[in-house]
Amino acid sequence: MKKLENKVAVITGANSGIGLATAKLYLQEGAKVVLSGRRQEALDEITAELKGDFIAVKADVAKPEDNKRLIEEATNAYGKIDILFLNAGIAPVAPAHEISEEHYDTLFNTNVKGPILATKEALPHLNDGGTILFTNSIVSQKGFDGLGVYSATKGALRAYQRVLTSEVKSRKIRVNSIAPGPIDTPIYGKMGLPTDVVEEMGKGFAQQVPLGRFGTSEEIAKSALFLASDDASYINGVELEIDGGLSQI
Ligand code: NAP
């Protein structure tokens, strides 16, 4: 028996990295998946590549109207939603003395406002007993230079999730999150840093991880499957660190 047979999953940030690996695994496990991302060309590429029952929807999570349309397109295609995976996020770098209002707004609109408004739109269409999953980060527990606003967005999201967990309890909806450590995804190429700086930063991260390496998107996807499935039926309100031990030492 597949773990997500006949479940409907909506995944944001599904055209790349962690979201894409999770979408592939959910499809393998029998889910009907609504994949969403910002770039149409990336959505077209994965539409040509993926097998299974899915639709791809272009939506910018920072835009309230796009979150509304994403949920409308998902319910028009598949009816009620069982799994809402709010994973889209960005991590541009700016040290404290260089933080601009635009840097702040872009990060908070994408990483905080986006998942909060997508949740609001989805709640009436989520099945009771369904699950909401977020992608946080261990950066809200440890300080990494240049990631002040990014870290604040993930900390804000974690605080919001505690309230949400309580607010949806009467509907038996489970709210959980994954907090990746350094994971080998395209996000590092989008931080606005030169390649050699990113490579040095990567080496530094890997050295700090007890397991001595970056994780893979597939390793995160396995936990995103576990938390969304009935295997995690009594797990609620947690943030699961998937970081080779980095946040624990
Ligand atoms: P990624 O490969 O860059 O994927 C990020 C995804 O988010 C992409 O699909 C991207 O779509 C989407 N996205 C970004 N801004 C968006 C917007 N405004 N509207 C809609 N979609 C948007 O990076 P990733 O590492 O898989 O990141 C996924 C999540 O993991 C993020 O929340 C990130 O903060 C978190 N995380 C990553 C790491 C790591 O080391 N990789 C560590 C901790 C946490 P487009 O490509 O179309 O823009």
Side-chain angles (χ1 to χ4, degrees):
M1 176 75 179
K2 292 180 173 177
K3 287 184 187 295
L4 301 181
E5 198 76 66
N6 293 323
K7 301 282 188 197
V8 173
V10 176
I11 307 177
T12 66
N15 61 15
S16 179
I18 292 167
L20 178 55
T22 304
K24 285 180 182 168
L25 194 54
Y26 281 13
L27 286 167
Q28 278 169 32
E29 291 294 337
K32 297 166 188 173
V33 180
V34 179
L35 299 104
S36 126
R38 241 183 336 187
R39 288 169 302 126
Q40 188 61 51
E41 66 277 16
L43 290 170
D44 292 343
E45 260 175 49
I46 57 169
T47 298
E49 178 199 330
L50 288 181
K51 306 240 175 317
D53 193 350
F54 70 90
I55 59 167
V57 178
K58 182 171 178 287
D60 183 337
V61 296
K63 294 183 179 158
E65 64 275 19
D66 279 23
N67 286 311
K68 194 170 190 304
R69 187 174 43 77
L70 169 62
I71 300 303
E72 275 169 8
E73 293 198 26
T75 52
N76 287 345
Y78 295 122
K80 282 208 153 191
I81 298 164
D82 299 291
I83 302 161
L84 179 66
F85 182 22
L86 300 161
N87 162 74
I90 52 169
V93 171
H97 63 281
E98 284 177 11
I99 290 168
S100 63
E101 190 176 358
E102 190 199 351
H103 174 82
Y104 177 94
D105 286 344
T106 306
L107 265 159
F108 267 86
N109 286 344
T110 307
N111 293 3
V112 184
K113 186 172 86 175
I116 288 176
L117 292 187
T119 300
K120 178 195 162 185
E121 295 298 339
L123 276 175
H125 306 284
L126 264 171
N127 274 319
D128 289 359
T131 190
I132 307 174
L133 190 60
F134 294 85
T135 304
N136 297 350
S137 170
I138 64 156
V139 297
S140 60
Q141 299 178 39
K142 280 178 100 77
F144 297 97
D145 291 6
L147 292 180
V149 180
Y150 175 63
S151 305
T153 64
K154 297 296 187 177
L157 209 49
R158 178 73 189 114
Y160 162 79
Q161 289 151 11
R162 292 184 192 279
V163 177
L164 183 64
T165 304
S166 179
E167 286 185 350
V168 297
K169 64 179 183 241
S170 63
R171 297 178 56 194
K172 310 288 181 233
I173 294 172
R174 293 184 299 112
V175 177
N176 290 302
S177 55
I178 51 178
I183 309 301
D184 188 8
T185 74
I187 204 167
Y188 291 92
K190 304 173 185 171
M191 285 179 141
L193 297 171
T195 314
D196 55 327
V197 175
V198 173
E199 278 172 12
E200 277 312 302
M201 188 174 74
K203 281 183 201 154
F205 284 155
Q207 275 167 8
Q208 294 175 58
V209 176
L211 290 181
R213 63 171 175 87
F214 269 56
T216 66
S217 295
E218 290 70 25
E219 287 176 305
I220 304 294
K222 286 178 196 165
S223 294
L225 170 62
F226 169 66
L227 288 172
S229 76
D230 287 343
D231 287 344
S233 54
Y234 200 51
I235 299 182
N236 192 19
V238 306
E239 178 182 84
L240 176 63
E241 289 85 8
I242 312 165
D243 63 353
L246 176 57
S247 61
Q248 305 304 317
I249 56 166

